[in-house]
Structure formats: C-alpha cells, structure tokens
Amino acid sequence: MTIIKQAWKITRHDFRNNPYVMLWTLLFIAYLGFTMSFAVSVQWGERGNLSPVADFIMLALIPFLGFIYNRRAFKYLQEDSYTHMLAFFRTLPIPMNAVIMSRIQQALLAFVVNSVIFFTLLFTLSATFRVYASTGFFVSFALTWIGYGMLIQAMYIHLEFLKKGKSYFWISIVIMLICGIVTIIVRVCGANLVSITAFYSKEWQLLSPVMWGALLAGILAMSVSYRVTQRKLMKRDLT
C-alpha cells in the first residue's frame, strides 16, 4: 500500500469518526465569509482606497480555510491534542509519513470545500464584486489567495507535528503579528494587497501571474513541509 493510500485511509477514518465535523467547519467558514464581505470593497480605479483591515483579515484568516475544525483543532492548547495524536499513531503499524500526508490531504480537501463557501459568500454579498466579477475573475482571485493560504498552512502543519500546544499557540500569535506588520508596511507604501490581487485577477483572469505564482509557492511549501516534518518528526520526543 502506498503512502498516499495509507494516508487516505487515515483521512477517511477521521471523517467517519467525526460525522458532524464538516457541518461545524462550514458554518464557521460561512461566518468568516459573511464577515469578510463587509470588510472588502474594491474600487478598481483607486487601488489604495481599500481599508488595510481587509488586508489583515485576508492575510490572517485565509490560511484557516485549510483546517478541519474538529475537537483536536480546538483542544490543542488545553490538552496538547496534536502531541497525543502522534503518540497514539506511534503505537500503530502506520508510517509517520502517512500520518503527515493524511494531514496534507485534509488541508487540501478543506481548502476546496471551505473556499467554495467562503469566496461564494464574499462575491455574493460584496456589492463591488457582484458588479465587476466574472467567472474567470472569481476563480483567479480565489486561487491566488488559496495559494497564499497553502503557503501559511504548510507552516501550521509543520508546527502541529513538531511543537507542543503552548508553543504552537505562541508561534501562531507571532504569525498573526507578522501579518499585521506586513499590512502596515504595504499601507505605508501606498498599496493594498486585496486590491492588487483583484486588479491582476480582473486584468489577467486565469493567466494572472500572481495567481500562478501563489499556487506554485503554496504547492512547494506543502512539499517542503512534508519532507522537513517527516525528517524532524522521527527525532521528536512525544513524552
């Protein structure tokens, strides 16, 4: 059995053991999409007018589209649930790289399903997007940010497998702070990331170099995360 097949078996087992997890996940993502639709209002001719709050929300929250919001995700700080999960899997005749691959599979599935909900609500409820958006724009804009989300999600996956709950929490806070710093720097430079990505998506649609660059960066990040995490996890003490 290949690693991918073993990983898929773990993934299916997780979903079967948590039959309502996708419902809660989709409800949470719908809330994010509803909230974000009021934070984003792009004016194509004036790319600097959009509030930097929209940038921060997108930078901070888009990676969370790659999560399945099960009990493990909510209890990582109180119970160090990720470490306990790894300790359990080490007692089973399952290679750890299959466990890592399963987590990546779940992230990709989450991005597909959650992004449909999130971006559909964003485009439906945002008056500006409704006026200017085409199918090509919709797909290009969504894939651009999904690529970014995969890049950051790869970091979160790495942290899940290699850090205890408290360390994971504080590093996550640092990532949020970095998102804030990036937002401020971009604003000081007179630019806006949401407007820029929207501009390229509108002008280039599925040929957008920003979209393809973001997707490539996300795929490479997932690949690097898998390999580095696999190597370091073998040395991690789970006691």
Side-chain angles (χ1 to χ4, degrees):
M1 184 181 295
T2 65
I3 294 300
I4 293 178
K5 288 183 178 179
Q6 288 178 313
W8 183 243
K9 188 175 181 179
I10 297 171
T11 300
R12 286 190 301 172
H13 182 268
D14 274 356
F15 281 115
R16 287 174 180 171
N17 281 357
N18 300 277
Y20 299 108
V21 68
M22 283 308 300
L23 175 61
W24 298 119
T25 298
L26 293 178
L27 287 174
F28 179 66
I29 296 302
Y31 168 75
L32 291 183
F34 180 80
T35 303
M36 193 59 201
S37 66
F38 293 99
V40 177
S41 179
V42 178
Q43 298 179 17
W44 305 119
E46 303 174 58
R47 287 186 285 168
N49 286 350
L50 185 60
S51 169
V53 173
D55 273 0
F56 176 75
I57 294 176
M58 292 290 277
L59 287 172
L61 296 187
I62 288 297
F64 286 85
L65 298 181
F67 283 104
I68 301 293
Y69 292 93
N70 52 23
R71 185 179 184 277
R72 188 186 306 141
F74 286 109
K75 293 290 185 178
Y76 77 89
L77 183 59
Q78 298 95 323
E79 301 178 1
D80 198 9
S81 54
Y82 292 125
T83 300
H84 289 311
M85 175 199 70
L86 292 173
F88 170 73
F89 275 116
R90 274 193 177 175
T91 66
L92 302 177
I94 300 174
M96 292 308 293
N97 52 348
V99 179
I100 301 170
M101 180 59 70
S102 173
R103 176 62 182 85
I104 292 175
Q105 288 177 349
Q106 292 182 39
L108 295 178
L109 286 172
F111 270 118
V112 171
V113 177
N114 292 340
S115 294
V116 170
I117 301 297
F118 179 84
F119 286 104
T120 297
L121 284 172
L122 178 62
F123 277 66
T124 301
L125 298 177
S126 173
T128 304
F129 279 134
R130 285 201 307 270
V131 172
Y132 291 98
S134 63
T135 301
F137 170 86
F138 176 93
V139 175
S140 177
F141 184 82
L143 288 178
T144 299
W145 283 98
I146 289 171
Y148 159 76
M150 289 171 59
L151 173 66
I152 306 302
Q153 177 68 203
M155 299 180 190
Y156 282 120
I157 291 173
H158 184 74
L159 295 174
E160 286 177 19
F161 284 97
L162 296 177
K163 300 295 181 182
K164 289 186 176 295
K166 289 183 178 179
S167 297
Y168 179 92
F169 171 77
W170 286 113
I171 296 174
S172 298
I173 295 298
V174 171
I175 293 175
M176 294 289 184
L177 291 175
I178 292 173
C179 289
I181 293 171
V182 170
T183 299
I184 293 171
I185 292 174
V186 171
R187 185 62 174 180
V188 169
C189 293
N192 183 276
L193 294 176
V194 175
S195 296
I196 291 172
T197 54
F199 173 79
Y200 276 94
S201 295
K202 179 176 180 288
E203 294 297 319
W204 292 81
Q205 298 198 11
L206 295 181
L207 295 178
S208 168
V210 177
M211 180 195 76
W212 288 109
L215 286 174
L216 179 60
I219 293 170
L220 288 175
M222 285 288 186
S223 177
V224 171
S225 178
Y226 171 75
R227 296 180 184 279
V228 174
T229 303
Q230 177 186 352
R231 185 173 66 251
K232 292 188 176 182
L233 185 58
M234 302 303 296
K235 303 176 183 178
R236 184 186 171 189
D237 182 6
L238 298 177
T239 58

